[in-house]
Each structure stands twice: as structure tokens, then as C-alpha cells.
């Protein structure tokens, strides 16, 4: 895995900040929560501007700078930034970006992706639950849309298995097997059914 470090210009205040990005990596496998494993990371690098407190992963994303600056000045945002931008204390920049995306009404799938990255960052089932709760508010959104390349039911099934709701998880993965013919989907779903039969609640490497 190769990380490229460079000086960047903040998209909001245009001050120079120190940033980084992964320029190369190697994927060796997949976990049941669909995080990649190997010489790679499951989430993108986030850039944090200490001048204006803006956090972003995509400098190409077009945002209303005036509106963003108003958000950055609010006490609730400042509190969120202090809580999750500190590397020594619960660092999770995706929680901050999720707030920004919500405020700016960025595409709902990008919002949910930030919640997924937030979970991948700290492997907290509490964060995973937030993602599933948001998704399940309107499952019809996902009839023809994938999240990170997989149908959303793969994440739902994984979550329910992890919290011990095996009957619900089994129904989800049995439906996936019934409706899909893609080998990569069937491999994961059938492995999940094996774990469910064993009442295994751990995140595992897909075999």
C-alpha cells in the first residue's frame, strides 16, 4: 500500500493544508461486512482543514461555500469537529462529513456511504446500526441501487446476524440466494447462511 502525502488547498477557505491519499493498494479478500482486506484500507483518507474546520474526501464535490461556512460556525458543528477530528480521542472524520452531507442535502447514497465508512473506521456496531436504521427508513430507495458495489441487503443481513437476530438474517440471505445468480453474491450469501446455522455473531473473512 502506497500513501501519497502532499500540500493541498482547502476547498472552502483556500488555506494550505497537509493531506494524503492512497495511490496504490492490494486487495486480498473480503469480510462479511464487505470491507476489503489486504494491503489497503476499507475507507478513503479524509482531509481536515485546521483553519476553518472543513473535512472532506473529495475536493471535486461542488458545494455552496457560503452555506458551508455558516455550518462550520455553528456551535453544534464545532462540538462535532472537536470530538471526531482528534486522532487521540475517537478520531472518525466520516461522522463529520456525514453531518456536512446532511446539511447540504448531498445525494442520500453518499450520505449512507459516509455512515458505512464511519463503521469501517471503528468497527462499532452502534455505527453500523445507524447505517441500517437510516437505510430502513425507505428500502425502496435501494431497489435499483448498490452501496459500495453490493445490494443493501448484504449489509442488513450482516448486521442482523451480528446482533443475534438469526431468523431475520436467514430470511434476508435466503432471499438473496433466490434472487441472484452472480457467483460473488452467492458465495457471500451461502457463507453467511453457514454462519447463521452456527449462530456465529462475529465478522468473518469470506471463505
Amino acid at each position: 500500500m502506497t500513501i501519497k502525502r502532499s500540500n493541498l488547498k482547502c476547498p472552502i477557505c483556500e488555506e494550505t493544508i497537509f493531506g494524503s491519499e492512497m495511490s496504490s493498494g492490494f486487495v486480498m479478500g473480503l469480510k462479511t461486512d464487505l470491507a476489503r482486506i489486504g494491503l489497503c484500507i476499507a475507507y478513503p483518507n479524509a482531509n481536515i482543514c485546521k483553519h476553518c474546520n472543513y473535512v472532506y474526501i473529495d475536493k471535486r464535490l461542488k458545494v455552496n461555500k457560503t452555506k458551508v461556512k455558516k455550518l462550520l460556525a455553528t456551535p453544534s458543528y464545532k462540538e462535532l469537529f472537536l470530538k471526531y477530528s482528534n486522532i487521540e480521542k475517537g478520531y472518525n472524520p466520516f461522522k463529520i462529513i456525514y453531518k456536512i452531507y446532511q446539511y447540504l442535502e448531498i445525494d442520500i447514497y453518499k450520505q449512507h456511504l459516509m455512515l458505512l465508512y464511519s463503521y469501517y473506521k471503528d468497527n462499532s456496531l452502534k455505527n453500523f446500526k445507524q447505517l441500517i436504521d437510516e437505510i430502513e427508513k425507505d428500502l425502496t430507495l435501494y431497489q435499483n441501487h448498490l452501496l459500495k458495489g453490493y445490494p443493501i441487503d448484504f449489509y442488513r443481513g450482516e448486521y442482523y446476524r451480528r446482533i443475534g437476530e438469526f431468523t431475520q438474517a436467514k430470511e434476508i440471505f435466503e432471499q438473496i440466494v433466490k434472487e441472484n445468480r452472480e457467483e460473488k453474491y452467492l458465495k457471500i450469501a451461502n457463507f453467511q447462511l453457514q454462519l447463521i446455522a452456527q449462530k456465529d455473531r462475529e465478522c468473518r473473512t469470506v471463505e
Side-chain angles (χ1 to χ4, degrees):
M1 180 171 63
T2 303
I3 301 294
K4 179 182 178 182
R5 304 185 185 280
S6 59
N7 290 325
L8 307 172
K9 181 180 290 187
C10 173
I12 301 302
C13 69
E14 299 186 354
E15 292 286 347
T16 299
I17 63 176
F18 184 72
S20 63
E21 62 181 356
M22 187 175 73
S23 59
S24 66
F26 182 73
V27 179
M28 298 175 65
L30 200 67
K31 295 168 67 175
T32 50
D33 62 5
L34 306 180
R36 299 173 300 173
I37 55 177
L39 298 176
C40 61
I41 52 177
Y43 47 83
N45 286 305
N47 296 304
I48 299 177
C49 179
K50 295 296 184 178
H51 301 283
C52 70
N53 295 349
Y54 185 58
V55 184
Y56 68 97
I57 60 173
D58 184 2
K59 65 181 180 181
R60 298 166 298 179
L61 181 67
K62 295 182 179 180
V63 297
N64 184 317
K65 290 186 179 182
T66 300
K67 192 172 182 179
V68 170
K69 288 177 180 179
K70 287 182 179 179
L71 172 66
L72 303 185
T74 62
S76 61
Y77 181 87
K78 289 179 179 179
E79 182 179 351
L80 188 74
F81 181 84
L82 285 173
K83 184 175 182 179
Y84 292 113
S85 67
N86 191 321
I87 294 179
E88 298 177 354
K89 298 180 180 180
Y91 178 73
N92 196 329
F94 305 107
K95 284 185 171 292
I96 305 172
I97 300 174
Y98 174 64
K99 174 68 173 180
I100 294 172
Y101 283 11
Q102 273 191 311
Y103 177 78
L104 296 175
E105 298 181 323
I106 300 296
D107 183 284
I108 191 67
Y109 305 107
K110 290 183 179 179
Q111 291 185 34
H112 290 170
L113 192 57
M114 292 308 106
L115 291 178
L116 179 63
Y117 289 151
S118 177
Y119 157 67
Y120 284 160
K121 183 70 183 69
D122 58 20
N123 294 309
S124 166
L125 278 177
K126 181 180 179 181
N127 285 337
F128 204 4
K129 182 180 187 299
Q130 184 182 6
L131 168 65
I132 301 304
D133 286 348
E134 287 299 313
I135 285 167
E136 291 188 340
K137 286 180 179 179
D138 189 358
L139 286 175
T140 60
L141 284 173
Y142 281 90
Q143 287 182 346
N144 298 301
H145 199 101
L146 308 179
L147 186 65
K148 198 64 176 172
Y150 287 88
I152 197 62
D153 279 345
F154 279 84
Y155 300 97
R156 295 178 62 235
E158 166 75 357
Y159 173 72
Y160 286 118
R161 179 181 64 79
R162 297 272 293 283
I163 64 172
E165 295 288 344
F166 297 113
T167 298
Q168 194 164 357
K170 182 179 179 182
E171 290 175 356
I172 289 172
F173 285 114
E174 285 181 338
Q175 191 66 26
I176 288 173
V177 171
K178 181 180 178 180
E179 294 179 352
N180 288 276
R181 291 293 176 266
E182 290 191 45
E183 184 178 348
K184 69 173 183 176
Y185 291 168
L186 291 174
K187 179 179 180 181
I188 297 170
N190 283 317
F191 181 60
Q192 287 278 18
L193 289 170
Q194 293 176 30
L195 296 176
I196 291 166
Q198 299 165 7
K199 297 193 181 308
D200 189 325
R201 296 173 57 170
E202 299 299 317
C203 183
R204 301 293 185 185
T205 300
V206 177
E207 296 180 350

